[in-house]
Amino acid sequence: MNRNTPSARADDRRTTDVLVVGAGPTGLMLGCLLRHHGVDCTVIDRREDIDPRTRAVMVHAAALEILDTLGLRTAVEDRGVRQLRIDFHTHHDALFTVDFTGLDTAFPYYVNVPQPEVEAVLAHHFTATGGRLLRGLRYTGHQEDEHGVTARTTTDGGSPDTITARHLVGADGASSTVRTALGIDFPGITYPMSYLLAEGTPLEPADPDASAMYIGPAGAVSLLPLPHGTVRIAGPVSPESLDRDSELSAQHFQESVDTLGHGPGLRFERVDRIAHYQVHERLAERFTHGRTVLVGDAAHLNSPAGGQAMNTGFGDAWALAWRLAAPGGDCRAALLADYDHERRAAAAEVARTTGVLPLLDAMRHATTAPARSSVQEALTGYAEAWSQLYLRYRPTPQDTTPGPAPGDATTWHPALPARAGHRLHPGARVPGHRPEPGHHTWLHLPGAGPDPTHLPPLTRTAELTATQRAWLPTGTTAVLVRPDGHVARTTGADPHTTTGATAETEKEAA
């Protein structure tokens, strides 16, 4: 498939500010954001072209906001299917819904779009804005000193070369060679059952506005509408685990899915692709090592529930780009340390909100009206969590209720934050806020003007919207928002009284 993706050839030797290993969606998004900040960036990948397999699919609201900042949202949406909700169907005809239409954003929905299409949009934009994309180039290791990083590379033909950079970023997936070279552990678990997957034309048209989860007595599958009337059906159909090298026939897939008891709605007229795979939950023991940073699947893996993988990688890129664009020295070192702390916590939270097996089990057993009402109530907060609009990097006064123990089926409600309870404490994301590249923003109540001696240089100012005012903690008159849209600190009626000042704001103010 010709994606018309411009790229430099692998034998172009380069020196760059940031070298990104891996031209998947996270690596390319980081490249686009770095170019948006005016940072010189080179992305390398061992593949000669985009992998045509559809892997990740969902693009949620926070990622749509990032794409809109780059002017790419429409291009991505044009290649996908806009979705308003996720419906959960049980074999005893119960229906539960996660509705995304009430989110605080200009884009209260998500988009099902094949990952190769997203990569094609990002790759074209990256090279069109001056980024260098070198394909057919394999990373084999690197050395680091006080001046930067020297990465060793080789082509498929075995021609060795080096690329020098100020920073190196490993965006090279679950089997990351960058992470392995750093000796960073990647602990976690592998689900005991195999996930089955098929794509093609369904026997019955899917609901155009919703993805769905179909739950049976011993398994479940998701049905995701894709462009051109096709769908993906995938999930842990049964507790069995297939051998890695065994082949899966269309007949075996269909017979397995039929055991869920949902009839022709989960049958294909034509199957275009079929596969099986294992699901992992893993979290790198650290995301930074000197001048090297991990992002995306190289740093974390989680359940496919809620379609979080690509979105969490985009969040990594968004959080990292402005830090790599900051002035050098101790300031950037502190910013990268904060990236490590914050994004590891964010990845752990994603793992918590995608661990839905106990919830699915509760749906299976919700056969009475009160039980079904309880399950639907428990779904409150999933749209907020999966949209990643309301992400909080640090605990707030609202975080007083402990979550359930992992795998505890008796406490399957994970206590997700409801939209009504969102508050702009330090570390909280400001949904819908559009920061300018590299600039902090002072959002304030009318008349609460900023004290320029207490703000980072080049800070922008704006009045809080009515929605944002409702999120202010008691006594707060203004918030300082970082370039990634998260609150750095809050200010009360006395502008000299602040809470939550972080390392980056203190250093930049200095």
Side-chain angles (χ1 to χ4, degrees):
M1 185 183 300
N2 181 11
R3 299 282 175 184
N4 297 318
T5 303
S7 64
R9 293 302 305 162
D11 57 359
D12 291 340
R13 179 172 177 170
R14 303 290 182 184
T15 298
T16 188
D17 284 337
V18 179
L19 173 63
V20 180
V21 180
T26 299
L28 290 169
M29 173 62 84
L30 177 60
C32 290
L33 290 170
L34 288 171
R35 292 303 305 138
H36 195 59
H37 284 279
V39 176
D40 186 55
C41 179
T42 299
V43 177
I44 67 173
D45 197 281
R46 61 183 180 82
R47 295 184 62 91
E48 291 283 356
D49 201 356
I50 293 173
D51 187 340
R53 294 173 298 173
T54 301
R55 288 157 291 169
V57 171
M58 290 182 175
V59 179
H60 281 286
L64 291 172
E65 289 186 356
I66 298 172
L67 288 165
D68 199 60
T69 297
L70 294 170
L72 301 178
R73 179 185 56 81
T74 299
V76 169
E77 285 201 33
D78 286 346
R79 299 178 182 221
V81 179
R82 185 179 293 189
Q83 303 276 272
L84 304 180
R85 64 186 192 277
I86 299 176
D87 292 333
F88 295 81
H89 303 266
T90 70
H91 62 291
H92 43 68
D93 297 326
L95 173 64
F96 308 99
T97 297
V98 175
D99 190 332
F100 292 79
T101 57
L103 298 174
D104 298 293
T105 176
F107 319 114
Y109 50 84
Y110 61 96
V111 178
N112 286 349
V113 54
Q115 179 176 323
E117 300 293 344
V118 178
E119 291 181 18
V121 170
L122 292 172
H124 185 275
H125 182 78
F126 175 60
T127 56
T129 54
R132 290 181 291 276
L133 177 55
L134 308 181
R135 293 196 177 275
L137 198 61
R138 186 185 300 271
Y139 159 90
T140 59
H142 70 274
Q143 293 178 317
E144 178 180 327
D145 58 28
E146 67 274 18
H147 303 295
V149 176
T150 300
R152 300 185 298 277
T153 64
T154 183
T155 63
D156 287 340
S159 300
D161 206 343
T162 60
I163 300 177
T164 59
R166 181 165 49 90
H167 287 281
L168 174 69
V169 179
D172 50 341
S175 301
S176 170
T177 53
V178 175
R179 188 188 65 241
T180 300
L182 294 171
I184 294 176
D185 286 341
F186 200 36
I189 62 171
T190 298
Y191 284 26
M193 72 289 287
S194 292
Y195 277 56
L196 309 188
L197 177 150
E199 294 172 346
T201 303
L203 187 64
E204 297 181 354
D207 186 332
D209 295 326
S211 297
M213 177 72 75
Y214 290 87
I215 305 158
V221 293
S222 60
L223 186 150
L224 307 181
L226 297 174
H228 314 300
T230 62
V231 300
R232 166 189 284 187
I233 297 176
V237 179
S238 69
E240 72 173 332
S241 179
L242 299 176
D243 182 82
R244 180 176 181 178
D245 298 325
S246 65
E247 294 186 4
L248 177 65
S249 68
Q251 181 178 351
H252 183 189
F253 176 88
Q254 196 63 73
E255 289 175 350
S256 298
V257 172
D258 283 346
T259 65
L260 299 178
H262 291 278
L266 293 177
R267 292 178 184 155
F268 283 96
E269 179 182 304
R270 186 192 74 248
V271 175
D272 299 326
R273 178 191 171 205
I274 193 164
H276 64 90
Y277 58 97
Q278 297 296 129
V279 168
H280 310 272
E281 287 187 16
R282 299 191 181 279
L283 183 65
E285 65 176 2
R286 58 188 304 178
F287 286 10
T288 61
H289 187 285
R291 292 176 174 269
T292 303
V293 187
L294 299 178
V295 295
D297 287 355
H300 44 73
L301 298 172
N302 55 266
S303 159
Q308 297 295 283
M310 184 160 55
N311 296 273
T312 307
F314 286 166
D316 292 343
W318 180 248
L320 181 60
W322 72 275
R323 289 173 159 100
L324 292 178
D330 292 340
C331 173
R332 188 181 297 123
L335 293 178
L336 291 182
D338 280 347
Y339 167 86
D340 190 331
H341 171 74
E342 292 182 347
R343 292 308 298 174
R344 283 192 85 252
E349 177 66 6
V350 167
R352 189 175 77 93
T353 64
T354 56
V356 297
L357 294 181
L359 175 59
L360 298 183
D361 196 53
M363 291 179 177
R364 286 188 185 94
H365 295 93
T367 56
T368 67
R372 292 176 180 179
S373 177
S374 177
V375 169
Q376 183 60 57
E377 182 181 355
L379 290 174
T380 301
Y382 273 95
E384 290 88 340
W386 288 345
S387 73
Q388 300 200 17
L389 289 172
Y390 304 85
L391 182 65
R392 298 176 301 188
Y393 282 143
R394 287 180 288 279
T396 72
Q398 280 71 40
D399 295 333
T400 57
T401 303
D408 184 354
T410 64
T411 54
W412 46 266
H413 182 193
L416 300 176
R419 184 162 59 250
H422 191 64
R423 293 293 180 269
L424 299 184
H425 292 285
R429 190 180 184 279
V430 185
H433 174 62
R434 295 286 300 274
E436 293 186 42
H439 294 280
H440 287 70
T441 307
W442 181 260
L443 297 177
H444 59 88
L445 292 173
D451 180 352
T453 63
H454 286 75
L455 296 179
L458 305 178
T459 295
R460 305 297 195 245
T461 62
E463 286 192 7
L464 289 152
T465 66
T467 300
Q468 291 167 349
R469 293 175 198 176
W471 293 331
L472 286 180
T474 302
T476 300
T477 59
V479 295
L480 178 65
V481 185
R482 305 184 320 197
D484 61 354
H486 285 261
V487 175
R489 67 175 187 249
T490 63
T491 299
D494 179 356
H496 297 282
T497 302
T498 63
T499 61
T502 56
E504 64 268 19
T505 57
E506 291 173 346
K507 288 182 178 295
E508 290 191 33

